[in-house]
């Protein structure tokens, strides 16, 4: 199969404890130009999701710590990253259950490399069409421009350097532009479950981001405070559409 230029370097997270199976999948995906990371347990999968921001997750149902369905539920609480479940032959209930819990597709073991790669591409194509709006250069306004693919942020034409945590926080805020994210949602998405009782982290990092991005950090125009609830990134797309129709 010819590597698909369109998906070159997309990052796939394989969640599978059987090393031979993980290796088999890795080799086939790498052969097709995908970048591959692995997790051998549910806990590790959640950590990798947060730290490496994969473009798609291949999630095995049978895992040593938390089973694949529970991992899927945890993923869905914090992310809409595409997930393909790896189910065992004959376990038809597993397929339905996975889809009901928010999986995008499933592949039944044993599968051929060709089948796997074509499913991965189909799901990526679908989700990237949906998400076209956060791909490429995002022009929030004339001042602030963000490219999540290259991990670059510009303010007034100058490249701004963000720490990984600041970057992740910005990513989730912009992805949900126009929507309020609660302190808890932000903590879980950016820091992980174990930080759920540390709301001051959010305040601290929102302040860091404001200092780097806002013209006047004390009167923010991008990261808005929703008193007592959380934060909302300005609905810049709606603003732009309104300006254009004026
Ligand atoms: Ca397994």
């Amino acid at each position: 199969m010819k590597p698909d230029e369109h998906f070159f370097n997309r990052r796939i997270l394989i969640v599978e404890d059987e090393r031979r199976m993980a290796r088999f999948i890795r080799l086939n995906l790498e052969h097709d130009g995908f970048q591959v990371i692995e997790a051998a347990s549910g806990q590790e999968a959640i950590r990798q999701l947060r730290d490496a921001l994969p473009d798609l997750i291949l999630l095995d149902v049978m895992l040593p710590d938390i089973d694949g369905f529970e991992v899927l539920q945890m993923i869905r609480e914090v992310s809409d990253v595409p997930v393909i479940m790896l189910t065992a032959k004959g376990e038809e209930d597993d397929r339905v259950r996975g889809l009901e819990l928010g999986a995008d597709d499933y592949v039944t073991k044993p599968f051929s490399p060709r089948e796997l790669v074509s499913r991965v591409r189909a799901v990526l194509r679908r989700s990237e069409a949906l998400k076209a709006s956060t791909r490429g250069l995002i022009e929030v306004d004339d001042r602030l421009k963000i490219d999540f693919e290259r991990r670059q942020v510009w303010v007034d034409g100058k490249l701004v350097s963000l720490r990984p945590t600041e970057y992740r926080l910005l990513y989730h805020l912009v992805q949900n532009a126009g929507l309020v994210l609660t302190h808890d949602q932000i903590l879980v998405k950016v820091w992980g479950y174990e930080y759920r009782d540390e709301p001051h982290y959010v305040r601290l990092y929102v302040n860091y981001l404001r200092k780097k991005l806002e013209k006047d950090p004390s009167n923010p125009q991008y990261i808005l405070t929703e008193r007592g609830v959380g934060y909302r990134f300005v609905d810049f797309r709606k603003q732009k559409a309104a300006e254009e129709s004026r």
Side-chain angles (χ1 to χ4, degrees), residues 47-207:
R47 204 179 60 235
Q48 290 273 35
L49 168 65
R50 198 175 63 231
D51 295 347
L53 300 176
D55 297 296
L56 182 142
I57 299 178
L58 288 169
L59 175 58
D60 190 38
V61 172
M62 301 281 280
L63 293 171
D65 53 349
I66 337 171
D67 80 32
F69 298 116
E70 268 184 72
V71 177
L72 176 60
Q73 280 176 296
M74 290 164 80
I75 292 172
R76 280 294 169 257
E77 279 178 37
V78 297
S79 168
D80 54 5
V81 61
V83 175
I84 299 178
M85 302 290 290
L86 305 178
T87 59
K89 199 181 175 187
E91 303 288 331
E92 303 214 349
D93 288 353
D94 281 1
R95 301 176 205 172
V96 177
R97 199 169 156 208
L99 294 174
E100 280 176 351
L101 289 174
D104 294 84
D105 202 355
Y106 59 83
V107 176
T108 306
K109 288 179 179 178
F111 46 79
S112 71
R114 178 182 287 267
E115 184 188 358
L116 178 77
V117 171
S118 77
R119 293 291 186 92
V120 166
R121 283 186 183 152
V123 169
L124 276 177
R125 206 168 284 129
R126 204 165 63 201
S127 89
E128 293 193 1
L130 272 171
K131 276 223 192 142
S133 49
T134 47
R135 290 268 171 217
L137 189 67
I138 299 171
E139 301 192 24
V140 175
D141 59 12
D142 290 340
R143 262 188 93 246
L144 176 61
K145 297 177 177 33
I146 306 165
D147 188 333
F148 285 119
E149 269 171 303
R150 293 187 186 168
R151 303 200 166 217
Q152 291 178 338
V153 177
W154 289 270
V155 174
D156 274 335
K158 281 188 206 116
L159 204 54
V160 173
S161 131
L162 296 188
R163 286 179 282 183
T165 306
E166 294 167 344
Y167 178 83
R168 283 205 300 273
L169 175 60
L170 182 66
Y171 177 81
H172 289 294
L173 286 167
V174 172
Q175 260 209 330
N176 294 285
L179 304 174
V180 180
L181 292 177
T182 67
H183 297 109
D184 273 7
Q185 282 175 323
I186 295 173
L187 276 170
V188 173
K189 278 176 197 283
V190 178
W191 282 270
Y193 286 84
E194 55 277 36
Y195 289 89
R196 262 191 289 194
D197 299 324
E198 312 276 1
H200 59 280
Y201 276 58
V202 180
R203 211 174 315 132
L204 191 67
Y205 274 82
V206 163
N207 284 338

Side-chain angles (χ1 to χ4, degrees), residues 35-47:
Q35 203 186 333
V36 177
I37 44 180
E38 289 180 34
S41 70
Q43 292 294 351
E44 213 186 317
I46 297 297
R47 204 179 60 235

Side-chain angles (χ1 to χ4, degrees), residues 202-216:
V202 180
R203 211 174 315 132
L204 191 67
Y205 274 82
V206 163
N207 284 338
Y208 290 155
L209 266 186
R210 281 174 171 165
K211 278 190 194 133
K212 292 186 177 179
L213 307 183
E214 301 276 0
K215 201 170 203 167
D216 175 7

